[in-house]
Amino acid sequence: ASGLYLEIGKFQDSYNYLKMSLTLLTPQETFELKDKILKISKQYYIYQELGLAADLSKMMLEKYCKEKFPEKQEFFAQSAYFYLVDGKMQQSLQSFSLGKTCLIEEKKQEEVLLQNLKELSEIQNFEGLNVYYNAFGKIESLNKYFTDAYLIMYWSALEYNQSEKANQIKAILLSLG
């Protein structure tokens, strides 16, 4: 039924039915469906149901946090990125915090973090970039990436005569060294 709701565009009903169905299955049965659940999450994303896609991915990541399976890396990446694109910075950061707990490869964590920083700078989300900077700005190896992201915003602010924003960004850039 979840798939049928998905096909007819009733995305919230699809998600609710899927979530309810998963509670009726044993953990092992749900685990065996992980590849299908990953595909459903991607379909929600394609239909721009970012919150549902992120919620589903995060739910699977949390449920099977200590298990080893290839899809876990993707559930992590999707939840962190989809929340970000949906404008839910705190939830994106919460997904990131699961990275270490759930033993996500460091390379994958860094890849997703850099993808998110790039996205924030491209869409000129100054507040979102600040949230990420407050969470990860003390990691010296990321200074270059934060500098690049803030520079993109700085030059854009100057181009559009947003001097107050440009001055705020300039102060951050100077603190980065």
Side-chain angles (χ1 to χ4, degrees):
S2 175
L4 182 59
Y5 280 129
L6 183 60
E7 285 184 33
I8 62 173
K10 294 191 173 213
F11 305 112
Q12 188 64 54
D13 290 336
S14 169
Y15 176 79
N16 292 341
Y17 192 82
L18 176 62
K19 191 174 175 183
M20 188 269 305
S21 297
L22 293 176
T23 65
L24 301 175
L25 299 174
T26 66
Q28 183 59 36
E29 290 171 324
T30 303
F31 186 76
E32 290 170 8
L33 295 172
K34 64 191 176 308
D35 58 328
K36 289 180 175 43
I37 294 169
L38 185 62
K39 287 178 185 174
I40 291 170
S41 177
K42 289 179 181 179
Q43 285 183 295
Y44 288 146
Y45 175 73
I46 289 168
Y47 288 117
Q48 297 185 9
E49 293 294 331
L50 305 172
L52 298 179
D55 288 345
L56 184 55
S57 292
K58 186 177 179 200
M59 179 180 66
M60 290 298 289
L61 179 62
E62 289 175 327
K63 187 170 187 140
Y64 299 102
C65 182
K66 298 300 181 187
E67 303 292 326
K68 288 187 177 185
F69 60 101
E71 295 89 352
K72 184 167 73 168
Q73 307 293 320
E74 196 62 28
F75 283 126
F76 166 76
Q78 286 186 180
S79 65
Y81 181 70
F82 293 167
Y83 279 132
L84 176 113
V85 175
D86 201 30
K88 298 175 180 172
M89 297 304 139
Q90 293 304 322
Q91 286 156 301
S92 178
L93 290 176
Q94 288 171 356
S95 290
F96 260 108
S97 71
L98 291 172
K100 286 186 181 182
T101 307
C102 296
L103 308 174
I104 300 299
E105 297 169 4
E106 283 189 32
K107 182 178 179 182
K108 185 65 168 182
Q109 291 182 55
E110 184 176 317
E111 173 188 312
V112 174
L113 177 59
L114 297 180
Q115 174 190 15
N116 286 3
L117 292 178
K118 182 179 177 190
E119 178 75 21
L120 289 168
S121 65
E122 286 178 359
I123 64 172
Q124 298 289 306
N125 187 333
F126 182 57
E127 291 78 19
L129 187 58
N130 286 338
V131 168
Y132 264 70
Y133 179 70
N134 289 335
F136 300 105
K138 299 208 183 331
I139 302 172
E140 280 192 44
S141 63
L142 295 176
N143 275 358
K144 177 198 178 319
Y145 301 105
F146 279 108
T147 299
D148 290 348
Y150 277 117
L151 276 173
I152 290 169
M153 288 187 186
Y154 175 74
W155 291 115
S156 179
L158 286 178
E159 182 179 346
Y160 292 103
N161 295 322
Q162 299 171 327
S163 57
E164 184 179 326
K165 183 177 179 182
N167 287 334
Q168 290 175 331
I169 296 170
K170 184 178 178 181
I172 294 168
L173 285 167
L174 291 172
S175 74
L176 286 171

